[in-house]
Amino acid sequence: MLEVKGLRKVYRSGSREVEALRDLTFTVDNGDMVCLVGPSGCGKTTLLRCISGLLDPTGGDVRVNGKAVDGPPPGMAVVFQEYGRSLFPWMSVRDNVELPLKQKKVARSRRRELVDEALDAVGLTGTESAYPWQLSGGMQQRVAIARAVAYEPQTLLMDEPFAAVDAQTRADLEDLVRSLWKRLNVTILFVTHDIDESVYLGQRVVMLSSSPTVVQDELIIDLPAERDQLHTRADPRFVELRTRVYEQIQLAKKAAR
Amino acid sequence: MLEVKGLRKVYRSGSREVEALRDLTFTVDNGDMVCLVGPSGCGKTTLLRCISGLLDPTGGDVRVNGKAVDGPPPGMAVVFQEYGRSLFPWMSVRDNVELPLKQKKVARSRRRELVDEALDAVGLTGTESAYPWQLSGGMQQRVAIARAVAYEPQTLLMDEPFAAVDAQTRADLEDLVRSLWKRLNVTILFVTHDIDESVYLGQRVVMLSSSPTVVQDELIIDLPAERDQLHTRADPRFVELRTRVYEQIQLAKKAAR
Amino acid sequence: MIKRVLYVVALPAVLFGAWFVLSDNSESFYSPPLRDILTAFGDTWSADRLRADVVPSLLRLFAGYLLAAVIGVALGVAIGLNRRLRATVEPVLEFFRAIPPPVLVPVIMLFAGIGDGMKVIVIVFGCIWPILLNTVEGVRAVDSVVLDTARAYGVTGPARLTKVILPSAGPQIAAGLRQALSIAIILMVISEMFAASNGLGFTIVQFQRSFAIPEMWSGIILLGLLGFVLSLLFRLAEQRALRWYEGLRAAQRQG
Amino acid sequence: MTSVRRGSPVRLGSPALLGAAGLAGLLLVIEMLPRLGLVDDRYLPPTSRIAAALADETGNPQFWASLGDTLVAWALGLAIAVGAGVLAGIVIGSIPVLRNLTASTVEFLRPIPSVALIPLAVLLYGTDIGSTLMLVCYAAFWQVFVQVLYGVADVDPVAYETARSFRFSAWARIRHVLWPTALPYVFTGVRLAASVALVLAITAELVIGAPGLGKEIAVAQASEAVPTMYALIVVTGILGVLINLLARTGERRLLAWHQSVRGEVAT
Amino acid sequence: GTSSDSGSSGDSGGVDKVKVGVIPIIDVAPIYLGQQKGFFKNRNIELTMESGQGGAAIVPGVVSGQFQFGFSNFTSLMIAQTKNVPIKTVAAGVASTGEQGKDFGAVVVTKDSPIKTAADLVGKKVSVNTLKNIGDTVTRESVRKAGGDGANVNFVEMPFPNMQAALEKGDVDAAWVVEPQLSTIKAAGGREVASTFVDAADDLTVAAYFTSTKLLADDADLVKRFTEAVNESLAYADANPEEVRTVLSTYTKIDAALGAKLVLPKWPTQINEPSVQTLAKLGEGDGIFSGTPDLEKLLP
Ligand SMILES: Nc1ncnc2c1ncn2[C@@H]1O[C@H](COP(=O)(O)OP(=O)(O)OP(=O)(O)O)[C@@H](O)[C@H]1O
Ligand SMILES: Nc1ncnc2c1ncn2[C@@H]1O[C@H](COP(=O)(O)OP(=O)(O)OP(=O)(O)O)[C@@H](O)[C@H]1O
Ligand SMILES: [Mg+2]
Ligand SMILES: [Mg+2]
């Protein structure tokens, strides 16, 4: 279980002071898949950083399975928004994906298997030996996703992980994430700007207001668990839900103006 | 007029050799707005870099207004896919946007005006003095857009410029680009993964195949020149066109498998 | 290949040529004609001489340089990673860095005697600074997203060091190592000015004192050659170790 | 910004305080070593005796004149070396042909010890400040030059292409992209050069006998005035610390954007 | 270049600016004293002392005209002469006292060293300030005189101030030192085993003032005046040891207590040519020179 209680974060540097998060409270149950949407600059990345223990909040509390977070909790994987910079340019694609597994002390043969599977799942078979900077933007992002997938985390935080890939690949990756979620029963917190995506993927959508940021609304996505790109998106309930989300975000942005 | 004829690009590094572009031919008339779609890794960024004269093609020809390109042509602005790295971390947001104008020797007062307008248009008023790395991903991307917009180019190349912004902002920015295009009569080449976006924005959509890359198809978007987010997207012709594009891309990907 | 060889030899050839011509009828006692220097070079640096003087020098040089590299990088990483440690020891390090090694030689002699140990310590003491400083800066400049990624995926402990911090700081550490190499050669000479009975530096100083001026110049040229060869070796090693970096930078330049 | 642990008492140890503590520790060690008999106090007198000798020296006008001579040689030499090093580094570093052409010559000239140039310096300038200056310039130049070369090579290609795409002039590319990227390297180079310059200024004075602290040290050494010798060495050390302090302050001001400084500003 | 070029400023009426390269040790006390006493000013010479570390720094300065005169030991001068460095001595510099056990330079050992006489130095490690220079020649001669094999002594080079520590730590078995280190070491219990300058030759002239042959040719008058002034200074210094001890504190950092105990050298005004010839032979025998020094050319 992931609990965020009264979370607040203020960035201070010199005279500039930005209240990125004012007061966030929500919980994600184990095995849940929650999508997070909100206007650009509202603090989603900040929130993910706090949850993953990479950033100390100014106030409030983050707990994973009851334990306060003060460093990256074990079994958590993060896909960073800055995919380009989060890959290690001095390592090949394979090494990038494999390194966290080595750290987890996964046996060599199993590691091989996991890496190959993950790269295959994101459609990057054949680029194992390339360096990240020899890949296109979308391919780099997929390496970052493969790294998280191969890690087989219990909790997966993803920050706009599909921003740089084309529509078709995106659909494939969405299905990949859902199948992973079902297969491994991972808890997933997924930040996206694509409203359709959030409804398609999530069991719940949490909408953030624009700055000063609070939780604007939460929505349970009561679509059937079996989803597919063609039928689910055509489902009238889907359209209804996406309209709801859209309206809330409109509201959030208006309030800010 | 922008002519691309038989363009070919092979990346070589050590023993690895990637044919990013095989044979591309198309033209963009002055004042045209062309959207470029294609699978991830098919060579869109490569193409844009060749057109902007930043990369030497292995074969073929790029001409701007009849002159072969062998360096960035005057009056051209590029929004890079790696927005984060294309901003100068040692300069404030304002300085980042202003610097190209200084290079263009725009008078100080006019510069001020242009920068303020551009930052306002992308919704970043109030962050002028921040450094890029103090901004969220979406905000950084908008700074890069503002920089290009303020430059008032004759030709504008944009590489997935809206990948990191939320849906609402994206819609706003789409309208910004269209209004800019109409007002200044700019030639725009716009790379996107969002099929709806390509149809909504473009007068023409050029679809690339996956590697080895050629032009798969071209589509004239015969929607009325006056477009708006609500009505245009609901237009049956819009839906028809987007389905066409979608199918072509599906085809492109299938062919590759 | 031919082009590369040309690059290497073109400028030195021109410079030496100019020197040769300009100095040809030099009367000055201290800057004799290059012709004399070259003659002296052949006469002076016989195989015996090389074995007796250059080899011991090189051994001290390598010992000192390697020691400095190991200590410099280790200390640099520790200092670069820990802000408080950095604040605490920086003034002390600066203090020692500002003390000229020749002044310290007597002090070092007190503790290390007059053998090779003293000379190695002098070399370490002098050439550790660029390594240390560059390592500290390189470590401090590791991209924050990279660090976050490493933390998030549990890449900690030794792996964080060897897989993340060191490669990322690699280019800058290399800059330091390279600078240290030439300083090490300089210090090899300085250390051999004290309490030595063999070595390249000793020989050069001896020539200088005994007014064997062409021989002295030939020694200086030998030093330059030595530095050149060592730096060539260094560059080979560097290119291997930093292949990713050279590629990364070259990739987008030439395409 | 990301690696600061929660509740870490950042204020408790302000850098200045910690630095002072470090120095105090050193002084204490030097006081204790001879007092405990670990080293002979004829060779390493305790801090207090060195301090007394230092106090004596400060009353001596000769000392201040020497300090002035050393500082002038240092500052002048450093300024020339930094100027030339940065200029040469940027020009040569950004023009590949030049870089390739000069590489071997640079590698040849660089390790030639300045001390080996002493006869040449004396020949040209006698034991004036000129000899010191020449040696200082020669040695400090390479420090800056090489750092700048590495800095120029480190320019982010995307940033550089951005500048190219906006058709920045060559000068503007240098001014706005190359220079800021190279700046952290330049700073490292200047800091290295500053101390190498000091080291050489003093060495030259020591060996050639040109006026300055180095000569004073040589005289003290030859006169068996051990505490005075250490006092003078301490002065050179203190100079080093001050110079570094200056460089650091400049760095913090000019490099607020840089990753290495960022972490210390933001919370 | 610097302001003064080979003293050419001096017509007989004007004042000549003269720079002298000296090593700031006891040996040159007379010239400082002479400067104080106005011996140089009386002869229209405005004197500045430029200190250098040893002949290696001073000789080039004199040859290039940066200094008009220099101070150096005879072995160094003879080495230079064999290499045809265009220099010539103009006045005596400093000489041995000629008294066994009471000279300003000697080989010393620690109190409890097994080395009793110079003959015991055979096969031992002895420190000198400069290898292949006056220190090793005279030490070898002392060994020979005591009946040992002078060729079989191992010399190591180190600065004088380090010798005491090296002796006490056992890094070297004996040290060839001069004042003030000699007094310091003796005060700490060190034992003298050979007065090397005394052993080498009777009343050995150890060092001299010299100039370049060019200056000698261009401005013989200046050289003459300088020589006179130096000679007057030498004579005065020799006669007034207390004033010498006082003047020491103006250009060295020798403290008063140590200064009072020092053994002062002799400062005769004449170069003792036979002693220099002996020194030349010794040096030649020990392989310090590559040829035979031509004393004709070197001595005034
Ligand atoms: N290092 C920093 N220093 C100062 N302010 C920062 C820093 N990082 C983020 N901010 C500010 O915090 C706010 C939230 O940023 P954050 O990156 O969390 O937004 P986001 O929701 O992820 O936006 P996007 O969708 O555009 O990525 C922004 O206003 C940003 O300017
Ligand atoms: N510097 C490089 N060295 C080697 N190969 C490269 C390099 N840059 C790109 N490539 C290869 O060229 C191909 C096309 O890359 P490009 O970046 O143009 O794709 P793209 O269409 O922009 O993809 P995306 O939509 O994911 O950004 C890819 O297969 C990539 O691996
Ligand atoms: Mg974000
Ligand atoms: Mg791309």
Side-chain angles (χ1 to χ4, degrees):
Chain A
M1 189 143 102
L2 180 71
E3 296 165 280
V4 175
K5 212 148 65 192
L7 193 70
R8 182 177 138 87
K9 174 71 197 176
V10 182
Y11 286 105
R12 265 190 213 94
S13 51
S15 60
R16 199 170 170 274
E17 193 166 293
V18 180
E19 187 180 24
L21 299 174
R22 170 161 290 180
D23 179 13
L24 283 191
T25 305
F26 66 90
T27 54
V28 182
D29 287 331
N30 281 345
D32 228 355
M33 158 103 85
V34 173
C35 290
L36 206 61
V37 297
S40 170
C42 75
K44 303 178 294 296
T45 300
T46 306
L47 171 61
L48 249 55
R49 283 217 147 99
C50 289
I51 293 178
S52 58
L54 294 170
L55 193 64
D56 292 322
T58 313
D61 233 10
V62 178
R63 290 174 176 276
V64 173
N65 294 328
K67 263 190 57 194
V69 164
D70 67 344
M76 180 180 277
V78 187
V79 178
F80 290 86
Q81 184 176 15
E82 292 129 314
Y83 53 90
R85 285 167 60 198
S86 105
L87 297 176
F88 302 146
W90 49 87
M91 288 183 184
S92 69
V93 167
R94 161 170 291 282
D95 291 345
N96 260 290
V97 178
E98 199 174 359
L99 180 61
L101 297 178
K102 273 194 194 147
Q103 288 307 118
K104 237 173 106 178
K105 308 223 183 314
V106 177
R108 171 189 291 266
S109 60
R110 174 83 185 124
R111 227 155 59 201
R112 216 189 159 71
E113 215 173 280
L114 282 170
V115 173
D116 288 341
E117 264 172 32
L119 285 176
D120 184 50
V122 298
L124 284 181
T125 320
T127 60
E128 287 89 347
S129 66
Y131 285 108
W133 37 269
Q134 294 179 324
L135 302 182
S136 78
M139 291 159 91
Q140 288 176 18
Q141 198 164 34
R142 283 182 278 156
V143 176
I145 296 169
R147 180 166 60 184
V149 168
Y151 194 63
E152 298 200 315
Q154 281 134 45
T155 320
L156 179 55
L157 309 181
M158 303 179 98
D159 199 353
E160 301 181 30
F162 307 150
V165 298
D166 62 289
Q168 179 57 46
T169 310
R170 186 170 196 140
D172 294 348
L173 291 175
E174 283 167 8
D175 291 337
L176 172 71
V177 167
R178 274 197 70 86
S179 76
L180 190 80
W181 170 62
K182 276 194 260 173
R183 184 160 57 87
L184 299 175
N185 198 27
V186 206
T187 314
I188 299 183
L189 193 59
F190 190 102
V191 171
T192 177
H193 280 317
D194 187 325
I195 293 166
D196 290 31
E197 185 168 87
S198 71
V199 174
Y200 178 75
L201 280 181
Q203 286 182 302
R204 235 163 78 217
V205 176
V206 173
M207 284 155 275
L208 300 183
S209 74
S210 54
S211 244
T213 309
V214 294
V215 174
Q216 165 107 1
D217 197 8
E218 280 199 38
L219 195 66
I220 307 270
I221 306 296
D222 47 6
L223 292 170
E226 279 307 319
R227 303 183 187 175
D228 77 47
Q229 296 285 354
L230 267 184
H231 300 101
T232 307
R233 285 184 194 256
D235 191 326
R237 180 65 190 149
F238 179 91
V239 179
E240 205 174 302
L241 286 165
R242 79 168 294 286
T243 314
R244 273 284 298 283
V245 175
Y246 191 73
E247 280 165 6
Q248 284 302 327
I249 290 186
Q250 291 282 67
L251 231 72
K253 290 217 74 159
K254 284 230 182 71
R257 284 187 179 169
Chain B
M1 187 141 104
L2 181 72
E3 296 165 280
V4 175
K5 211 148 65 192
L7 193 69
R8 182 178 139 86
K9 175 72 198 177
V10 181
Y11 285 106
R12 268 190 209 93
S13 49
S15 59
R16 201 169 168 274
E17 193 165 291
V18 180
E19 186 180 25
L21 300 174
R22 168 160 292 181
D23 179 13
L24 283 191
T25 306
F26 65 89
T27 54
V28 182
D29 287 331
N30 280 346
D32 229 355
M33 158 104 86
V34 173
C35 290
L36 206 63
V37 297
S40 171
C42 75
K44 302 177 296 294
T45 300
T46 306
L47 170 62
L48 247 56
R49 287 183 38 203
C50 288
I51 293 177
S52 59
L54 293 170
L55 193 65
D56 291 328
T58 312
D61 232 11
V62 179
R63 289 173 176 278
V64 173
N65 296 325
K67 265 191 57 193
V69 165
D70 66 343
M76 179 179 278
V78 185
V79 178
F80 289 86
Q81 185 176 16
E82 291 135 313
Y83 53 91
R85 286 168 57 198
S86 108
L87 297 176
F88 302 140
W90 47 84
M91 287 182 188
S92 69
V93 166
R94 160 170 290 281
D95 291 345
N96 260 290
V97 178
E98 196 175 1
L99 185 60
L101 298 178
K102 274 195 193 148
Q103 291 303 308
K104 231 174 112 180
K105 308 224 185 312
V106 177
R108 171 189 292 264
S109 59
R110 174 82 186 127
R111 228 153 60 200
R112 216 190 160 71
E113 218 173 277
L114 282 170
V115 174
D116 287 342
E117 264 172 32
L119 285 176
D120 185 49
V122 299
L124 283 181
T125 320
T127 60
E128 288 89 346
S129 66
Y131 285 108
W133 39 271
Q134 294 177 323
L135 301 182
S136 78
M139 290 159 91
Q140 288 176 20
Q141 198 164 33
R142 284 181 277 156
V143 176
I145 296 168
R147 180 166 62 183
V149 168
Y151 195 64
E152 299 198 315
Q154 280 134 46
T155 318
L156 179 56
L157 308 181
M158 302 178 96
D159 198 354
E160 301 180 30
F162 306 150
V165 299
D166 62 288
Q168 178 58 45
T169 310
R170 187 170 195 138
D172 294 347
L173 291 174
E174 283 166 9
D175 291 337
L176 171 71
V177 167
R178 273 197 71 87
S179 76
L180 189 79
W181 170 62
K182 276 193 262 175
R183 183 160 58 86
L184 299 174
N185 199 28
V186 206
T187 313
I188 299 185
L189 193 59
F190 191 102
V191 172
T192 178
H193 281 316
D194 188 325
I195 293 165
D196 291 30
E197 185 168 87
S198 71
V199 174
Y200 178 76
L201 280 181
Q203 287 182 302
R204 235 164 79 219
V205 176
V206 173
M207 284 154 275
L208 301 183
S209 75
S210 55
S211 244
T213 310
V214 293
V215 174
Q216 164 107 2
D217 198 8
E218 279 198 40
L219 196 66
I220 308 271
I221 306 296
D222 48 5
L223 292 170
E226 279 306 318
R227 303 183 188 177
D228 76 47
Q229 295 285 352
L230 267 183
H231 300 100
T232 307
R233 284 182 196 258
D235 191 324
R237 180 67 190 147
F238 179 91
V239 179
E240 206 173 301
L241 287 165
R242 78 169 294 287
T243 315
R244 273 284 298 284
V245 176
Y246 190 73
E247 280 165 5
Q248 284 302 328
I249 291 187
Q250 292 282 68
L251 231 72
K253 290 217 74 160
K254 282 231 182 70
R257 283 183 180 171
Chain C
M1 191 61 213
I2 293 174
K3 205 166 145 196
R4 268 178 59 190
V5 172
L6 211 70
Y7 273 141
V8 171
V9 297
L11 188 58
V14 169
L15 291 179
F16 265 93
W19 182 7
F20 196 96
V21 172
L22 290 180
S23 70
D24 202 29
N25 37 27
S26 162
E27 297 280 305
S28 162
F29 183 77
Y30 281 95
S31 41
L34 181 57
R35 189 155 15 87
D36 295 0
I37 296 174
L38 292 180
T39 318
F41 193 99
D43 297 344
T44 309
W45 301 106
S46 60
D48 268 354
R49 192 65 168 257
L50 290 180
R51 192 157 349 99
D53 283 320
V54 180
V55 171
S57 286
L58 283 181
L59 289 179
R60 290 176 207 135
L61 176 72
F62 284 130
Y65 183 67
L66 289 183
L67 212 61
V70 171
I71 300 175
V73 171
L75 212 62
V77 168
I79 294 173
L81 288 179
N82 188 328
R83 211 154 104 196
R84 307 187 65 193
L85 181 63
R86 180 161 68 247
T88 310
V89 302
E90 195 164 58
V92 175
L93 291 177
E94 287 307 324
F95 182 84
F96 281 113
R97 195 155 71 88
I99 299 176
V103 178
L104 266 194
V105 169
V107 181
I108 293 175
M109 269 194 212
L110 287 178
F111 298 101
I114 57 171
D116 288 343
M118 179 276 280
K119 289 162 195 111
V120 170
I121 291 176
V122 172
I123 295 176
V124 171
F125 186 86
C127 80
I128 197 171
W129 307 113
I131 305 176
L132 185 71
L133 230 71
N134 274 285
T135 307
V136 170
E137 298 303 319
V139 167
R140 283 172 69 196
V142 178
D143 192 314
S144 60
V145 179
V146 161
L147 284 180
D148 281 355
T149 307
R151 275 184 80 199
Y153 282 101
V155 181
T156 51
R160 180 171 126 100
L161 198 66
T162 57
K163 298 271 159 62
V164 182
I165 307 262
L166 286 179
S168 175
Q172 208 161 350
I173 295 179
L177 284 172
R178 165 171 283 218
Q179 254 170 321
L181 185 60
S182 51
I183 296 187
I185 299 178
I186 295 177
L187 281 161
M188 172 189 89
V189 175
I190 292 185
S191 73
E192 287 170 356
M193 288 167 59
F194 300 91
S197 46
N198 62 5
L200 187 51
F202 170 78
T203 316
I204 292 178
V205 172
Q206 206 58 45
F207 284 144
Q208 187 180 321
R209 282 192 196 136
S210 56
F211 307 97
I213 302 304
E215 284 80 0
M216 178 195 87
W217 279 109
S218 79
I220 293 178
I221 291 178
L222 183 68
L223 266 183
L225 284 177
L226 191 71
F228 177 66
V229 169
L230 287 178
S231 98
L232 224 61
L233 291 178
F234 181 87
R235 193 145 65 195
L236 284 181
E238 184 189 27
Q239 262 163 9
R240 281 194 73 89
L242 295 182
R243 218 174 9 215
W244 66 271
Y245 181 75
E246 312 254 327
L248 170 66
R249 290 303 179 222
Q252 277 138 324
R253 292 235 174 91
Q254 292 121 37
Chain D
M1 81 197 141
T2 50
S3 52
V4 182
R5 300 294 335 123
R6 182 190 323 229
S8 70
V10 181
R11 303 281 163 244
L12 186 142
S14 83
L17 222 70
L18 287 172
L23 277 181
L26 178 70
L27 294 183
L28 195 69
V29 168
I30 295 179
E31 176 75 31
M32 294 319 287
L33 278 179
R35 292 236 181 265
L36 295 176
L38 293 173
V39 298
D40 194 324
D41 70 351
R42 275 175 306 160
Y43 307 143
L44 180 64
T47 310
S48 46
R49 289 237 312 272
I50 298 176
L54 184 58
D56 271 358
E57 279 299 307
T58 53
N60 179 355
Q62 176 67 33
F63 166 77
W64 293 108
S66 302
L67 186 62
D69 284 333
T70 300
L71 282 181
V72 167
W74 169 80
L76 223 58
L78 184 64
I80 297 171
V82 168
V86 167
L87 201 71
I90 285 183
V91 170
I92 292 176
S94 51
I95 303 176
V97 179
L98 273 186
R99 198 178 172 151
N100 288 333
L101 266 179
T102 51
S104 56
T105 312
V106 166
E107 290 313 330
F108 181 83
L109 289 177
R110 213 148 59 97
I112 293 181
S114 317
V115 283
L117 296 178
I118 284 175
L120 198 65
V122 175
L123 207 64
L124 291 174
Y125 301 104
T127 54
D128 271 347
I129 195 169
S131 333
T132 315
L133 212 57
M134 174 179 151
L135 299 179
V136 168
C137 285
Y138 185 82
F141 170 80
W142 299 113
Q143 305 291 321
V144 182
F145 178 70
V146 171
Q147 284 289 335
V148 175
L149 279 189
Y150 274 87
V152 170
D154 196 35
V155 169
D156 188 322
V158 178
Y160 197 72
E161 292 198 339
T162 305
R164 282 230 295 150
S165 74
F166 281 110
R167 289 176 63 80
F168 282 26
S169 62
W171 165 244
R173 284 209 295 269
I174 289 173
R175 166 76 189 76
H176 294 296
V177 185
L178 226 79
W179 177 243
T181 309
L183 200 57
Y185 287 83
V186 172
F187 262 102
T188 309
V190 169
R191 283 171 54 208
L192 283 170
S195 56
V196 165
L198 189 62
V199 165
L200 264 150
I202 289 168
T203 307
E205 290 159 3
L206 194 80
V207 176
I208 303 178
L213 280 180
K215 178 181 157 192
E216 297 294 306
I217 291 176
V219 171
Q221 233 168 20
S223 309
E224 290 286 289
V226 178
T228 311
M229 176 188 91
Y230 277 101
L232 291 168
I233 292 179
V234 166
V235 172
T236 67
I238 292 173
L239 277 184
V241 175
L242 291 181
I243 287 165
N244 183 55
L245 219 61
L246 216 70
R248 273 261 181 258
T249 314
E251 188 182 51
R252 237 186 298 268
R253 290 185 138 207
L254 288 169
L255 295 185
W257 55 271
H258 192 251
Q259 190 77 49
S260 59
V261 181
R262 251 185 244 176
E264 318 206 334
V265 180
T267 38
Chain E
T2 48
S3 55
S4 63
D5 287 312
S6 30
S8 54
S9 56
D11 297 324
S12 48
V15 172
D16 285 304
K17 287 195 172 146
V18 163
K19 286 190 185 173
V20 185
V22 296
I23 311 166
I25 48 176
I26 300 165
D27 307 19
V28 296
I31 196 167
Y32 280 94
L33 198 54
Q35 186 186 26
Q36 256 184 23
K37 295 285 163 198
F39 300 156
F40 290 89
K41 204 174 281 160
N42 292 343
R43 294 176 173 84
N44 280 336
I45 291 175
E46 190 185 325
L47 194 65
T48 15
M49 247 65 88
E50 300 271 348
S51 57
Q53 293 282 304
I58 295 175
V59 174
V62 173
V63 171
S64 69
Q66 297 293 339
F67 313 142
Q68 281 67 50
F69 301 94
F71 177 88
S72 176
N73 79 53
F74 257 109
T75 305
S76 289
L77 289 173
M78 288 185 286
I79 296 174
Q81 205 288 314
T82 55
K83 296 285 177 181
N84 293 319
V85 182
I87 51 174
K88 201 168 182 73
T89 54
V90 295
V94 70
S96 146
T97 59
E99 288 181 64
Q100 279 291 347
K102 283 199 190 122
D103 201 4
F104 72 104
V107 173
V108 289
V109 296
T110 50
K111 187 166 39 190
D112 39 10
S113 164
I115 300 171
K116 303 293 178 204
T117 69
D120 298 334
L121 290 174
V122 173
K124 294 292 194 299
K125 223 195 250 182
V126 182
S127 65
V128 289
N129 68 326
T130 314
L131 279 180
K132 295 205 170 190
N133 207 298
I134 194 163
D136 28 354
T137 336
V138 294
T139 305
R140 285 191 212 276
E141 179 61 9
S142 290
V143 174
R144 277 190 290 261
K145 288 240 162 104
D149 172 12
N152 192 10
V153 180
N154 302 318
F155 289 102
V156 284
E157 177 173 320
M158 70 172 61
F160 286 128
N162 273 84
M163 291 185 183
Q164 182 177 10
L167 261 183
E168 287 173 5
K169 280 186 64 191
D171 286 340
V172 293
D173 302 303
W176 180 80
V177 289
V178 294
E179 292 288 11
Q181 280 77 23
L182 181 56
S183 288
T184 316
I185 293 179
K186 279 190 182 165
R191 186 153 50 73
E192 182 172 328
V193 293
S195 295
T196 51
F197 292 143
V198 183
D199 291 342
D202 290 336
D203 300 323
L204 174 70
T205 305
V206 175
Y209 292 91
F210 66 98
T211 187
S212 66
T213 50
K214 182 168 180 297
L215 181 69
L216 200 61
D218 290 352
D219 198 346
D221 176 55
L222 172 66
V223 175
K224 192 172 135 259
R225 280 182 283 142
F226 179 81
T227 306
E228 282 168 19
V230 169
N231 286 342
E232 187 175 359
S233 308
L234 291 172
Y236 186 86
D238 216 35
N240 297 285
E242 286 323 305
E243 287 191 45
V244 169
R245 291 185 205 273
T246 325
V247 83
L248 277 183
S249 65
T250 64
Y251 70 97
T252 71
K253 294 189 188 307
I254 297 173
D255 66 31
L258 181 58
K261 284 188 303 195
L262 295 178
V263 175
L264 295 181
K266 285 267 167 232
W267 284 294
T269 53
Q270 283 301 314
I271 294 175
N272 179 352
E273 289 197 27
S275 79
V276 176
Q277 265 152 13
T278 312
L279 196 61
K281 280 211 194 68
L282 292 178
E284 208 181 333
D286 291 330
I288 286 174
F289 313 127
S290 49
T292 311
D294 185 348
L295 293 182
E296 286 284 287
K297 283 193 179 159
L298 184 62
L299 294 176

